[in-house]
Amino acid sequence: MNRLFYFYPHCFLKSTDKEVLVYDTMSKLYIYLKASPLSKADRETFHMGFVKVSESLSDFVNLCLSNELGYFVEFERVHPFFKSRGVEFVTSLSKERKALGYNLHSHTNSLLREVTILLKNSKDDYSDEMCLQMEHPKFNNESINLDLILQQLSSFQYLENIIIAGEIEISELERTLVYAEDNNIRVVHRIMFDFFNYALELKLIDRYDIFSIELLVDNSVDTAKIEHLTQNKICVKAIVKTISDLQLFDRMKCVMYEPVLSRNHNNKDIISQMILSEDEILSTSKSIKDCIIADCVNPGIFGHLTIDNGGFVYVFGKRIASVFESDLSSIINLWVGQDNCLWYKTRGGKSKCKDCALQCLCPPISIYEELGLFENACTI
C-alpha cells in the first residue's frame, strides 16, 4: 500500500534548493525548515500539493500532521487524481508575444492601475534621493502640463488612482477632479503641510467623493495644528528620519509613518525599526492569494508608474522613458516585455532571497533596497 500526504488547499507551499515552508493561511501554523528534506522528485510533487511518504520524509510528514497541515491518502496501483496547484493563465503577455510577435496595447494598457504625477515643490529641505523615497517632487519651480498627461491617461480604462504630488493651483486641481470623476478615478493630493491650502482643499473634499489628501509633515510642525485634521479623507504621513522623530509622532493618533533615509548620516537606528526578524515575518497574516501574487509580481508597485515634472516616467526612481518622446501607452507596451521590468521583480529573483522559503511572506522589494539604502528587509 502506497501512502501520500496531501496538504490542505489553504496551505501555502514554498521550497527552494535549501529550505521548505508549509504555511497555513487560516490557522497561521507553519513548518519552516532551513535544511530541506525534499529531494528533487519530492519538490516536484510538493509544488503540486503532496509528497509521497517515505523514510527520509517521515519526520517532516509527522511534523505537518501534528500541526494539522494535511492528511494521508492510501492507494495501491492507480495514483489518485489531484489538480495541480498554482495560477493557470489562459493567456499572458509572453504567450501573446510568442503568437503575434508583439503585445497588443489593449492588453498592456489594462495593467496600469495607479499613476503619481510630480509637480512643483518650493521646499528645499530634502535631497533628490529622499524625495524619491517619499515619491514627492524634488525642489523645483516648474510644473508639467497636467492636461497633456490626463489626455494620455484616457487610454487606460482600468486606471484606479491618480496621485498629484506637490504644489498645484486650485483651479488646475479642480479640473483634474472633474476629469477623474467623469472616469471614476480616485485622486489623492500629496502635499507638504507648509503648502496645504486648508480652506480651499477642504471645500473640494466636500464637493468630490473621489478626492482625498495626503499631508506630509516633519518634526518642525506644530503637532497641535495637525491633530484636528485627521479625518476620513485626510491622511497625515509623518516623515521619520531619526528615532527622535518616531518618538515625537508616536504620541499622535491616526498618523502613518514615512521613513526617509539619508546617506549623510547614520541610519542604523531607524533601519533597525524597519527590518523584520524571522519571527515577525512568520507571524505575518497573509492570504493564499497574497502569497501566490508575491511569487509572481512585486505587489508593492505592480501597475504603478511615476511621471515627473519633466515628463520622464519612473519606477522606483529608475527612468524608463519620456512622455514627450513617446505616448504612455507605447512606453508601457515596450517596457513590460523587457527583463528589467520592475513590476515583475520578486524576492525569488533577488540573489540574497532566492534560497529563502519565506520570500513570499516577506514585504515586497522596496525602494530602499533598490536605492541601496539597505540590503534586505529582514535579519535572516
Side-chain angles (χ1 to χ4, degrees):
M1 185 70 69
N2 296 302
R3 298 182 84 199
L4 303 177
F5 186 82
Y6 280 89
F7 299 96
Y8 289 124
H10 53 267
C11 288
F12 178 71
L13 311 177
K14 186 69 179 180
S15 68
T16 67
D17 290 339
K18 296 181 179 179
E19 301 182 356
V20 62
L21 171 72
V22 182
Y23 174 75
D24 189 324
T25 59
M26 296 178 66
S27 71
K28 310 309 174 188
L29 295 173
Y30 60 86
I31 299 297
Y32 173 46
L33 301 178
K34 295 188 176 183
S36 174
L38 303 179
S39 66
K40 184 176 181 180
D42 292 330
R43 286 178 59 190
E44 290 178 4
T45 62
F46 179 75
H47 291 145
M48 296 174 66
F50 67 92
V51 291
K52 187 175 181 179
V53 179
S54 63
E55 186 176 345
S56 62
L57 292 182
S58 60
D59 290 343
F60 172 63
V61 168
N62 289 332
L63 273 174
C64 292
L65 183 65
S66 64
N67 282 275
E68 300 181 345
L69 301 176
Y71 55 94
F72 289 109
V73 171
E74 294 185 348
F75 69 99
E76 291 186 0
R77 296 182 180 178
V78 181
H79 194 294
F81 173 76
F82 189 77
K83 185 176 175 62
S84 296
R85 291 193 176 200
V87 181
E88 292 184 7
F89 296 97
V90 176
T91 186
S92 67
L93 293 174
S94 58
K95 289 179 180 179
E96 183 181 74
R97 191 162 54 251
K98 186 176 181 180
L100 302 177
Y102 58 91
N103 287 123
L104 297 172
H105 281 238
S106 58
H107 193 168
T108 53
N109 280 3
S110 68
L111 301 177
L112 186 65
R113 300 303 172 93
E114 184 176 81
V115 173
T116 298
I117 305 172
L118 306 183
L119 302 176
K120 180 181 174 181
N121 174 26
S122 302
K123 193 176 178 71
D124 189 16
D125 288 354
Y126 301 98
S127 67
D128 292 357
E129 189 173 66
M130 296 170 85
C131 289
L132 285 175
Q133 296 168 60
M134 296 184 285
E135 205 175 22
H136 190 268
K138 60 186 179 181
F139 176 67
N140 76 88
N141 292 307
E142 297 180 5
S143 287
I144 196 170
N145 185 338
L146 197 52
D147 292 331
L148 173 66
I149 302 300
L150 296 179
Q151 184 180 4
Q152 293 204 24
L153 292 179
S154 61
S155 305
F156 300 92
Q157 58 178 323
Y158 295 103
L159 186 66
E160 298 173 357
N161 301 311
I162 296 175
I163 300 172
I164 304 295
E167 301 156 39
I168 184 174
E169 296 292 335
I170 291 296
S171 58
E172 192 173 20
L173 177 57
E174 186 155 21
R175 285 204 313 275
T176 304
L177 293 172
V178 170
Y179 165 86
E181 190 173 54
D182 290 343
N183 291 276
N184 196 28
I185 301 171
R186 293 184 293 270
V187 174
V188 178
H189 184 202
R190 179 179 295 146
I191 182 72
M192 291 287 181
F193 179 76
D194 298 354
F195 302 99
F196 175 47
N197 194 327
Y198 176 81
L200 294 179
E201 295 215 25
L202 258 59
K203 287 182 180 179
L204 294 180
I205 277 186
D206 293 334
R207 194 178 307 165
Y208 296 94
D209 291 337
I210 48 100
F211 182 48
S212 60
I213 295 167
E214 187 179 292
L215 278 181
L216 296 176
V217 301
D218 58 22
N219 56 15
S220 65
V221 74
D222 182 353
T223 55
K225 289 183 178 180
I226 62 173
E227 284 188 321
H228 72 284
L229 287 176
T230 54
Q231 52 172 278
N232 288 338
K233 297 174 73 176
I234 298 181
C235 170
V236 176
K237 273 193 173 181
I239 300 170
V240 175
K241 295 181 288 185
T242 63
I243 291 296
S244 59
D245 290 342
L246 196 62
Q247 293 168 343
L248 170 68
F249 293 112
D250 192 46
R251 297 192 295 269
M252 298 179 60
K253 297 179 180 178
C254 304
V255 171
M256 297 180 66
Y257 299 130
E258 183 77 59
V260 177
L261 306 180
S262 171
R263 297 184 194 275
N264 295 328
H265 57 74
N266 191 337
N267 300 303
K268 186 176 180 179
D269 287 346
I270 195 68
I271 288 176
S272 68
Q273 300 297 310
M274 299 166 66
I275 301 296
L276 299 177
S277 67
E278 180 180 311
D279 289 341
E280 287 172 324
I281 294 170
L282 285 166
S283 64
T284 300
S285 180
K286 273 195 174 183
S287 67
I288 190 75
K289 178 182 177 182
D290 289 338
C291 292
I292 293 172
I293 288 174
D295 218 12
C296 301
V297 300
N298 184 327
I301 58 162
F302 187 81
H304 178 86
L305 292 174
T306 303
I307 304 174
D308 73 4
N309 67 321
F312 290 106
V313 181
Y314 290 85
V315 173
F316 272 167
K318 296 185 178 179
R319 185 182 295 184
I320 300 171
S322 169
V323 295
F324 296 128
E325 297 175 359
S326 182
D327 64 276
L328 191 58
S329 179
S330 298
I331 290 171
I332 295 174
N333 183 268
L334 291 173
W335 182 63
V336 294
Q338 297 177 10
D339 293 337
N340 64 347
C341 180
L342 292 174
W343 286 354
Y344 297 100
K345 187 173 183 178
T346 64
R347 294 211 170 273
K350 186 176 178 180
S351 59
K352 291 286 184 180
C353 305
K354 66 179 183 179
D355 290 326
C356 179
L358 301 184
Q359 56 189 253
C360 294
L361 296 184
C362 233
I365 294 172
S366 67
I367 190 165
Y368 307 105
E369 292 167 81
E370 286 297 306
L371 293 176
L373 294 166
F374 59 68
E375 194 170 33
N376 264 357
C378 69
T379 57
I380 301 174

